[in-house]
Amino acid sequence: MASASTPTPTPTGNERLARRFPEEVASEGNIGLIDEICAADVLDHSPLGEVRGRDELKAQISGLKASFSDFSATVEDTISAGDTVAMRVTLRGTHDGAFMGIEPTGKSFEVGNMVFSRIEDGVIAERWVQPDLLGMLTQLGAVELPEA
């Protein structure tokens, strides 16, 4: 909780830049923004696979939006050190298109996601994205957890 003696820190320029990906690209669907905020040879690591370059990244995000038309990514926390921004993000969506070979279930999910973005020359050069994919697939009914 912020007070007069402990003001809320002002986000760094790197934090503002890194937040644009989940907030504007993923949530708002502004896929073209990738051309502005990501390096031409951006490298993205995630459970969906490693992609390099703006076009591959745009295709991956477009596929995600096709699988979950109401997909959103809410940034809960950010912290930055050097050229890297770490974000805790909440992902939400309704499974209304095929995803990872799974036909639409119509079910919704809400899971945590950790994202590290490396900024270079004022753009995102590399991202490491670690969503709770098991939680997501369980909520969609695609995976059944064994009983404890």
Side-chain angles (χ1 to χ4, degrees):
M1 178 184 244
S3 70
S5 61
T6 58
T8 302
T10 302
T12 66
N14 283 353
E15 287 176 67
R16 284 191 299 273
L17 173 64
R19 289 178 71 109
R20 293 188 76 187
F21 201 103
E23 293 174 343
E24 296 176 47
V25 175
S27 292
E28 295 175 14
N30 186 355
I31 307 296
L33 185 63
I34 288 173
D35 289 330
E36 179 185 327
I37 66 172
C38 293
D41 63 346
V42 62
L43 183 57
D44 192 271
H45 314 271
S46 81
L48 300 179
E50 190 170 282
V51 297
R52 181 177 291 277
R54 294 174 181 152
D55 289 341
E56 284 187 25
L57 187 54
K58 285 192 267 188
Q60 185 182 71
I61 299 300
S62 294
L64 193 61
K65 293 294 283 184
S67 299
F68 306 95
S69 60
D70 63 347
F71 184 82
S72 70
T74 305
V75 177
E76 308 292 351
D77 284 312
T78 63
I79 188 166
S80 61
D83 64 357
T84 303
V85 176
M87 294 181 285
R88 184 173 60 85
V89 180
T90 300
L91 304 178
R92 296 176 184 86
T94 305
H95 186 206
D96 50 14
F99 177 69
M100 296 177 64
I102 303 163
E103 289 303 312
T105 62
K107 295 182 179 180
S108 296
F109 74 91
E110 180 176 316
V111 296
N113 183 29
M114 299 296 166
V115 181
F116 285 74
S117 300
R118 184 175 60 80
I119 312 299
E120 185 177 292
D121 298 326
V123 291
I124 299 169
E126 193 167 12
R127 293 175 8 111
W128 293 266
V129 182
Q130 291 296 315
D132 176 6
L133 195 56
L134 178 59
M136 177 186 186
L137 294 173
T138 301
Q139 290 175 39
L140 297 180
V143 172
E144 191 172 316
L145 295 177
E147 292 193 25

